[in-house]
Amino acid sequence: MEAVKSKTIAREIMSTFLNPKRTVAELKELRALTGDENGAQRVAFTPTWLKARAWLRERVKDLPLEIHNDAAGNTWFTLPGASDQALLIGGHMDSVPNGGWLDGCLNVLTGVEILRRIHAQYPGKPPVTVRLVDWADEEGARFGKSLFGSSACSGNLDMNEARVLQDKDGIRLPDALKEVGIDFERVKESGQELKNAAAYLELHIEQGPVLLDLDLPLGAVLGTFGVERHAITFHGQAAHSGSTPMNRRKDAFLAAAKMSSEIYRIAGRSGNGVCTIGSCTTKPGIVTSVVAECRITLDQRHLDAAKLATMLAEAKAASDKFAREGNVSVSWERLWQIAPRPFNQELISLCDEAIRDTCGKSHRLPSGPLHDAAEVAAAGIPTVMMFVQSLHGISHNKIEDTREEHLELCVTAFDKLAESAMEWIPARAK
Ligand SMILES: [Zn+2]
């Protein structure tokens, strides 16, 4: 009973220090400073991105923070606590060109407000160290490599692949990094920042329609989807469209076309998985010939590794069956894959609780897009994300938007999650 009472009092104190309206006002200020009529223009490693980061440092100058950039260009804002064990809160100031006003910076500015609240509530000494990180180049808009700063930090960045990346003007990634004072060959030294990391929290706009369709403001994220991406080629025989009877054809397109409806059944059986055939090309590709070769691409995603493997096996079995039925052959080529990154169960529960406490009802959902949180989770740090509803279910577009009352709710709920995580960290260490 005493514990419940002291928790209630702590929550009351928290709400007097937290000012969610200030976060909304700061988001608007940032939009005015770094956006134009086409949307946000904070592309990583550009002058506008540097301007946004300088503005961010200005916002926190009254807090007793230690601030530095790590070897990969991620900025760390540290509020030292009684324990070295650190609660991390992450986001990214960079945007895609013509991006939305919330993607990435909502997370960072909410983190700033939480640092203010924690400093006010525990003057000089929060129970654990609290660190806000602004990841460098989450979007990968210029070099086509997403999660640059966080994957350098987690150790997953493929150096050989990244070393030769070029932007559309032929400028290499290592040269662009040198311009902003980053030595490409040393970026993985940023990994030492995770040394005392005990939990990682990230707030993000959903960028999809799930919460909107459920009419819920907030959701707890279960993890990021694993992905299997393949090219499937059916090999038949070109034949004259007039002289070849239907029963004599080796029609590569017929077999490929059957896959189209089959993937809906495969996804349906998998629970929450998704499957997409995103492209289809035929050879010879003329109106008077049966299709000799048909290549389709298949993208499959699931949060559960075993179910993702089943979806893939079922697609392979179906392609063999349709090839046999049509008297053609089939070959597969893997284009890309990534494992699912499930988040920490206990943190997911705390996230759920913080949401219910703030707006009555929560919902658990997986994330289709990857986020920096996926990299931190892969590095073995207990991680969770919170989503706030996106209007139109749209992002990476200037029409990206979220209701102001939902923005205020997400700051409040995310702050409660931060507080519970600060209590969870020492309890877990025991
Ligand atoms: Zn983002």
Side-chain angles (χ1 to χ4, degrees):
M1 199 60 206
E2 270 309 299
V4 172
K5 207 168 142 195
S6 72
K7 194 164 181 173
T8 312
I9 294 167
R11 293 283 193 259
E12 272 165 23
I13 297 169
M14 281 168 64
S15 64
T16 59
F17 292 126
L18 191 79
N19 184 354
K21 283 195 177 1
R22 174 162 52 190
T23 306
V24 176
E26 286 178 332
L27 284 164
K28 289 179 181 170
E29 196 183 322
L30 179 67
R31 175 170 63 182
L33 187 73
T34 59
D36 59 22
E37 68 280 8
N38 297 314
Q41 307 298 346
R42 297 183 300 276
V43 176
F45 314 124
T46 62
T48 308
W49 176 67
L50 293 172
K51 185 158 89 175
R53 285 189 137 191
W55 174 86
L56 176 64
R57 284 190 183 226
E58 210 30 50
R59 299 276 74 63
V60 296
K61 70 174 190 309
D62 295 333
L63 291 172
L65 302 174
E66 186 280 315
I67 307 176
H68 71 271
N69 282 0
D70 68 19
N74 306 306
T75 307
W76 295 84
F77 303 81
T78 303
L79 184 64
S83 155
D84 285 344
Q85 290 282 293
L87 169 66
L88 309 187
I89 297 172
H92 59 95
M93 292 300 275
D94 73 296
S95 73
V96 295
N98 306 324
W101 71 299
L102 300 170
D103 184 349
C105 55
L106 167 66
N107 341 358
V108 177
L109 289 168
T110 300
V112 166
E113 190 57 29
I114 293 174
L115 285 175
R116 289 179 184 130
R117 191 276 296 172
I118 292 174
H119 173 62
Q121 186 171 344
Y122 305 98
K125 270 282 183 270
V128 300
T129 297
V130 186
R131 308 185 73 196
L132 173 66
V133 52
D134 168 23
W135 299 110
D137 199 11
E138 190 272 350
E139 299 287 4
R142 184 166 161 197
F143 294 96
K145 169 81 190 81
S146 304
L147 312 181
F148 168 76
S150 55
S151 66
C153 189
S154 74
N156 284 326
L157 180 70
D158 183 330
M159 296 297 282
N160 292 331
E161 189 188 280
R163 193 176 286 113
V164 295
L165 290 174
Q166 294 186 354
D167 70 6
K168 64 178 188 329
D169 300 317
I171 296 169
R172 291 165 59 242
L173 174 65
D175 295 330
L177 291 177
K178 203 185 289 168
E179 287 285 303
V180 291
I182 300 169
D183 177 353
F184 173 76
E185 298 303 331
R186 299 181 62 177
V187 294
K188 286 196 175 177
E189 288 173 20
S190 59
Q192 67 199 43
E193 301 290 342
L194 298 180
K195 203 174 75 186
N196 291 319
Y200 176 83
L201 311 178
E202 189 173 326
L203 172 70
H204 210 283
I205 51 166
E206 185 201 328
Q207 306 178 283
V210 174
L211 293 171
L212 181 69
D213 289 349
L214 291 169
D215 200 19
L216 291 175
L218 304 171
V221 184
L222 294 162
T224 55
F225 275 156
V227 184
E228 285 282 359
R229 207 169 280 169
H230 295 257
I232 311 168
T233 307
F234 292 92
H235 310 269
Q237 193 173 54
H240 194 287
S241 64
S243 63
T244 318
M246 299 309 280
N247 64 349
R248 294 289 299 273
R249 296 180 179 212
K250 295 178 178 174
D251 185 342
F253 179 72
L254 175 64
K258 287 179 179 172
M259 290 297 287
S260 174
S261 52
E262 188 64 23
I263 62 161
Y264 282 80
R265 288 188 279 274
I266 291 172
R269 281 195 294 274
S270 77
N272 291 314
V274 289
C275 300
T276 306
I277 293 176
S279 78
C280 174
T281 48
T282 59
K283 285 180 188 168
I286 55 171
V287 72
T288 53
S289 174
V290 173
V291 172
E293 189 182 297
C294 183
R295 181 185 189 267
I296 56 176
T297 57
L298 176 64
D299 177 293
Q300 297 182 298
R301 303 182 186 219
H302 207 293
L303 186 62
D304 182 307
K307 288 187 175 153
L308 180 61
T310 302
M311 291 207 306
L312 177 61
E314 288 185 355
K316 284 192 170 159
S319 72
D320 286 341
K321 176 168 166 260
F322 299 145
R324 253 192 332 272
E325 286 172 4
N327 208 14
V328 300
S329 64
V330 63
S331 57
W332 281 65
E333 179 199 351
R334 176 174 270 142
L335 302 175
W336 189 68
Q337 83 180 134
I338 189 168
R341 303 269 167 80
F343 293 155
N344 181 277
Q345 286 297 335
E346 292 178 35
L347 289 178
I348 292 169
S349 297
L350 293 181
C351 184
D352 244 351
E353 227 171 81
I355 292 171
R356 280 199 305 272
D357 201 43
T358 307
C359 52
K361 206 168 167 205
S362 180
H363 178 70
R364 295 182 174 202
L365 71 168
S367 172
L370 285 167
H371 292 283
D372 293 308
E375 286 299 331
V376 183
I381 315 293
T383 293
V384 74
M385 291 184 76
M386 183 184 286
F387 275 171
V388 58
Q389 188 193 102
S390 293
L391 288 173
H392 331 291
I394 289 251
S395 184
H396 287 190
N397 187 309
K398 69 173 178 183
I399 69 162
E400 167 193 295
D401 205 4
T402 293
R403 282 193 201 101
E404 262 183 52
E405 67 259 35
H406 288 179
L407 291 175
E408 291 176 20
L409 280 176
C410 82
V411 177
T412 302
F414 198 63
D415 182 51
K416 286 178 182 170
L417 171 60
E419 185 67 17
S420 333
M422 281 205 297
E423 291 163 13
W424 178 78
I425 288 168
R428 189 167 180 264
K430 272 176 199 154

